[in-house]
């Protein structure tokens, strides 16, 4: 009997009302579950607008301990009701520390634990170092009811080391919740295609399906505002796009993968057989010669 998994990516716009954002996400989770999805990925920090476009201390008031976060509580009830797994991206507070985190919910609604975003960007429009500490959990994978999944968060997705670390822990599908769009310092800079290509590269070099969920729409956290470019997608183990949204679409993407077939195909490629860890010392040296 082959093992199959049906995954989903959600794409939506979000506003300032957390309860409304939760309701909107719940609607899409239900839609995805109705299409047979088993692991359903909302976008990054769907609790509200992407506030890291500027540095304003008021946003610290929107963080919660991960077990008490309203998004986690609501999605846990929904996961249990629908029998689906949901990676839930949140703004987490732990004592005096703040993180950009993901809580993995299994199909019975139980929280399997927390992953804290490892790579924290700091640039125009993405001033996350003001709000978030670098994650202290290390990269993690999760044995959900439907398969072993790895989840990175946004900026993590640009790093091949993130994908490879999760694969070495046995991940069978990689998920990346995201909030990315316009670059306020350069109106001519459009990263939508490189964003997608970076993750498709992880699919190819690890022989693994990849799911990326981004938000869409214009947000007015600052006077200039920021426009998110959507383009959520699902790629197969070859890096072929099997489902994708445009910039302004809202809704659900789904795809089904045969995990046993992908596992055999990965072995046949030999990428993990032929690794030369004896030559990789410079990869862990912060300032290689």
């Amino acid at each position: 009997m082959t093992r199959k998994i049906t995954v989903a990516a959600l794409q939506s716009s979000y506003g300032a009302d957390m309860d409304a954002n939760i309701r909107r996400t719940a609607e899409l989770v239900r839609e995805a579950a109705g299409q047979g999805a088993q692991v359903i990925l909302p976008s990054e920090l769907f609790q509200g607008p992407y506030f890291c476009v500027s540095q304003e201390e008021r946003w610290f008031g929107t963080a919660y301990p991960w077990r008490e976060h309203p998004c986690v509580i609501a999605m846990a009830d929904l996961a249990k009701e629908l029998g689906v797994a949901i990676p839930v991206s949140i703004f987490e507070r732990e004592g005096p520390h703040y993180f950009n985190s993901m809580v993995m919910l299994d199909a019975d609604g139980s929280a399997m634990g927390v992953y804290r975003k490892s790579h924290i960007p700091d640039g125009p429009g993405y001033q996350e170092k003001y709000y978030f500490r670098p994650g202290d959990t290390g990269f993690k994978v999760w044995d959900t009811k439907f398969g072993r999944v790895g989840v990175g968060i946004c900026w993590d997705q640009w790093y091949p080391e993130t994908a490879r670390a999760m694969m070495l822990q046995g991940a069978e599908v990689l998920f990346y919740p995201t909030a990315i769009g316009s670059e306020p310092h350069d109106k001519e800079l459009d990263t939508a295609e490189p964003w997608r290509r970076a993750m498709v590269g992880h699919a190819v070099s690890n022989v693994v399906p990849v799911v990326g969920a981004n938000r869409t729409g214009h947000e007015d956290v600052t006077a200039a505002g920021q426009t998110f470019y959507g383009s959520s997608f699902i790629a197969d183990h070859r890096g072929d796009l099997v489902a994708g949204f445009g910039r302004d679409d809202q809704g659900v993407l789904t795809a089904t993968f045969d995990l046993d077939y992908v596992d055999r195909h990965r072995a046949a490629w030999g990428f993990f057989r032929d690794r030369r860890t004896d030559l990789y010392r410079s990869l862990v040296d912060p300032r290689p010669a």
Side-chain angles (χ1 to χ4, degrees):
M1 182 176 180
T2 61
R3 295 184 309 123
K4 293 188 176 181
I5 188 171
T6 300
V7 299
L10 312 183
Q11 182 165 299
S12 182
S13 60
Y14 291 106
D17 186 331
M18 185 186 297
D19 290 337
N21 294 336
I22 291 172
R23 289 194 298 272
R24 172 58 175 158
T25 302
E27 290 173 0
L28 293 175
V29 169
R30 290 185 182 279
E31 182 179 342
Q35 296 180 27
Q38 298 164 314
V39 184
I40 301 171
L41 180 68
S43 59
E44 181 186 21
L45 296 173
F46 67 85
Q47 66 180 64
Y50 179 74
F51 52 85
C52 306
V53 293
S54 61
Q55 298 182 10
E56 300 180 58
E57 64 182 54
R58 64 189 176 100
W59 293 111
F60 288 106
T62 65
Y64 293 79
W66 67 266
R67 293 176 181 84
E68 302 170 16
H69 199 291
C71 291
V72 173
I73 293 170
M75 291 299 115
D77 290 342
L78 192 60
K80 182 177 181 179
E81 175 192 343
L82 300 175
V84 299
I86 309 173
V88 182
S89 171
I90 62 166
F91 186 15
E92 179 199 0
R93 176 175 182 172
E94 183 190 56
H97 306 308
Y98 295 82
F99 299 94
N100 186 337
S101 300
M102 185 282 304
V103 178
M104 188 70 226
L105 302 175
D106 207 358
D108 60 357
S110 63
M112 303 181 75
V114 64
Y115 165 69
R116 292 169 176 154
K117 186 172 180 177
S118 300
H119 302 95
I120 309 298
D122 185 28
Y126 303 92
Q127 300 177 43
E128 295 196 12
K129 280 188 167 66
Y130 177 75
Y131 298 101
F132 311 131
R133 292 171 61 92
D136 57 4
T137 59
F139 303 116
K140 304 182 79 168
V141 298
W142 312 91
D143 280 313
T144 74
K145 177 181 178 180
F146 309 107
R148 193 167 174 84
V149 304
V151 185
I153 303 173
C154 201
W155 194 226
D156 288 335
Q157 71 209 355
W158 295 89
Y159 292 83
E161 296 87 350
T162 303
R164 181 53 56 90
M166 292 189 289
M167 293 303 298
L168 290 171
Q169 295 178 68
E172 297 176 301
V173 184
L174 300 181
F175 293 82
Y176 295 101
T178 299
I180 190 170
S182 56
E183 305 288 344
H185 69 291
D186 184 353
K187 293 182 179 180
E188 302 302 314
L189 179 59
D190 187 336
T191 62
E193 286 305 314
W195 170 78
R196 183 179 280 182
R197 285 197 295 268
M199 285 178 281
V200 166
H202 304 328
V204 174
S205 58
N206 291 286
V207 194
V208 66
V210 171
V211 183
N214 191 20
R215 65 175 64 203
T216 187
H218 185 80
E219 298 180 3
D220 292 312
V221 172
T222 62
Q226 192 160 2
T227 302
F228 295 86
Y229 53 58
S231 304
S232 302
F233 72 96
I234 303 174
D236 69 10
H237 61 284
R238 291 168 37 89
D240 295 329
L241 204 67
V242 296
F245 275 138
R247 293 171 180 262
D248 303 317
D249 297 321
Q250 299 198 43
V252 171
L253 300 173
T254 63
T256 300
F257 299 105
D258 183 331
L259 295 177
D260 290 330
Y261 170 77
V262 173
D263 184 60
R264 292 193 303 271
H265 201 61
R266 184 181 305 116
W269 269 98
F271 291 150
F272 291 85
R273 177 197 65 206
D274 298 338
R275 294 178 68 242
R276 290 291 308 275
T277 56
D278 56 315
L279 303 178
Y280 299 163
R281 185 176 302 276
S282 62
L283 295 179
V284 295
D285 187 335
R287 299 184 66 184

